[in-house]
Amino acid sequence: MKTLIMISCVFLATCFVAIVADAHEAHEPVVVVDSDAMRQAVLAWRSTLGPELTRQASFEFAGPVRTDWHFVPKDRLGVNWHDMNLEQRRAAHNLLRIALSSQGYFKALAIMSLDEDLRRLEASRPNAQNVRDPERYWFALFGDPSSDEPWGWRIEGHHLSLNFSSVTGQVVSVTPAFFGTNPAELRDGPRAGLRVLGTEEDLARDLITSCTPAQLKTAMIAETAPGDVIALPGVEINFGEPEGLSAEEMTDAQQALLRNLLDEIIGNFNAELRERALDELEDAGFDKLHFAWAGSVEVGKGHYFRIHGPTLVIEYDNTQNNANHAHLVWHSPDNNFGADYLQRHYAESPHHQSAK
């Protein structure tokens, strides 16, 4: 009897290992992010729009609009803040609050509000009143959130592009995610001292300045920072092998700084999305992450940093406007716009198989 029990236990353990191995091989999420709360918030916003604005907001999921993203001040497709009444704006704010953490919601609104400061700072610029507009941001829907098919949504405007993709009932991608600030630090006016992305910059600088001379030789990839993040819209995300100092080569204190930096960036999204991204990162191997720096380590001088690992590439650049204009972008090289999950969905879904 004891022998039978032992054999059964070994068999079950073997099956469990095989199941885990298969799930890992298929890159299934460690944390399932149910999209129902976000879906309901999207539907609640759409229900306030009326027929004309609903048409204006809606695009095909598989169409070109969904992946045509940018962060420069220009007109977009979708529904603009100016188009919305109070009820519609409340629903839009609720959608943002559900998708983002409290800190992420604050950052998004603060980034929008900086255009009001740019109006003042660039008052002599032609057409500044129209170009620098804190309400020049657009919401767009892709696919039908009330169906079982893939769907997504985006908010985008100057220095902000947040892209959410849902497949098989899960939010499977929040990338590309772009946050930018100009000025990076407000140095006059009633909000002087505001640094929307200041924590990210400070944590990264703490990490690079903690390096020993030997570590610095590895972490520093260029004496001069690039003029912008490298993985710009429309550019293939191909950095090759990660550069810089690996997490494996860091001390415990340096690894803690790197974790705090990642949490600050990924923590702009709601708790479930944050947990899933961090778990995927750990599952792929935290030690495989690399931290790279370019430019000066002095405050107020041009600099750039990159975090590169199997599941993400994060870039931060602050070189423009005398190093007072920052760009931060988070990419998932294989899963921007949910590409990896979509490929498997279309390959495995009985509905799509029968349509072939």
Side-chain angles (χ1 to χ4, degrees), residues 59-68 142:
F59 302 91
E60 293 182 5
F61 184 84
V65 176
R66 188 172 70 93
T67 56
D68 181 18
F142 305 100

Side-chain angles (χ1 to χ4, degrees), residues 93-122:
H93 275 288
N94 185 56
L95 175 55
L96 280 175
R97 284 196 298 269
I98 285 174
L100 302 175
S101 64
S102 57
Q103 75 168 33
Y105 179 65
F106 163 78
K107 288 178 185 177
L109 295 189
I111 286 167
M112 296 180 203
S113 74
L114 284 173
D115 265 24
E116 189 68 52
D117 294 279
L118 287 176
R119 275 185 177 180
R120 172 176 57 84
L121 295 170
E122 300 176 353

Side-chain angles (χ1 to χ4, degrees), residues 94-335:
N94 185 56
L95 175 55
L96 280 175
R97 284 196 298 269
I98 285 174
L100 302 175
S101 64
S102 57
Q103 75 168 33
Y105 179 65
F106 163 78
K107 288 178 185 177
L109 295 189
I111 286 167
M112 296 180 203
S113 74
L114 284 173
D115 265 24
E116 189 68 52
D117 294 279
L118 287 176
R119 275 185 177 180
R120 172 176 57 84
L121 295 170
E122 300 176 353
S124 60
R125 173 178 174 167
N127 204 31
Q129 290 297 310
N130 294 321
V131 173
R132 304 307 190 190
D133 182 350
E135 294 189 352
R136 205 159 172 244
Y137 291 81
W138 284 258
F139 285 79
L141 304 180
F142 305 100
D144 183 2
S146 65
S147 75
D148 293 330
E149 288 299 300
W151 60 274
W153 69 280
R154 173 174 70 208
I155 177 173
E156 187 173 86
H158 184 212
H159 278 164
L160 188 68
S161 182
L162 304 179
N163 300 274
F164 299 85
S165 301
S166 175
V167 181
T168 63
Q170 295 183 55
V171 179
V172 298
S173 176
V174 299
T175 58
F178 185 96
F179 296 83
T181 56
N182 181 20
E185 179 184 14
L186 276 172
R187 294 173 179 165
D188 62 6
R191 297 197 298 172
L194 176 65
R195 300 168 65 223
V196 179
L197 299 178
T199 302
E200 292 86 340
E201 178 179 325
D202 293 346
L203 286 169
R205 183 174 288 107
D206 286 345
L207 180 51
I208 192 65
T209 56
S210 74
C211 288
T212 65
Q215 287 178 319
L216 199 59
K217 286 182 180 180
T218 304
M220 188 72 70
I221 58 173
E223 292 184 4
T224 303
D228 205 340
V229 294
I230 296 168
L232 291 164
V235 175
E236 183 181 0
I237 306 166
N238 185 13
F239 285 95
E241 290 298 315
E243 295 181 285
L245 185 69
S246 72
E248 189 175 21
E249 299 171 291
M250 295 179 185
T251 65
D252 290 347
Q254 290 170 331
Q255 287 187 5
L257 281 171
L258 179 58
R259 289 182 187 278
N260 288 341
L261 175 56
L262 284 164
D263 200 26
E264 181 66 27
I265 297 167
I266 295 172
N268 288 322
F269 296 87
N270 72 36
E272 286 183 306
L273 293 168
R274 168 190 170 275
E275 183 182 359
R276 205 266 299 282
L278 292 176
D279 276 12
E280 287 182 343
L281 184 155
E282 294 287 351
D283 191 49
F286 179 81
D287 286 350
K288 296 178 182 178
L289 290 173
H290 285 67
F291 175 79
W293 185 279
S296 177
V297 298
E298 293 184 38
V299 176
K301 294 189 177 181
H303 58 282
Y304 164 97
F305 72 79
R306 183 193 311 152
I307 305 170
H308 187 183
T311 63
L312 55 73
V313 176
I314 293 171
E315 295 183 275
Y316 176 96
D317 185 90
N318 188 353
T319 56
Q320 301 175 40
N321 297 21
N322 296 315
N324 195 27
H325 182 157
H327 289 171
L328 172 70
V329 65
W330 168 20
H331 288 287
S332 303
D334 296 326
N335 198 43

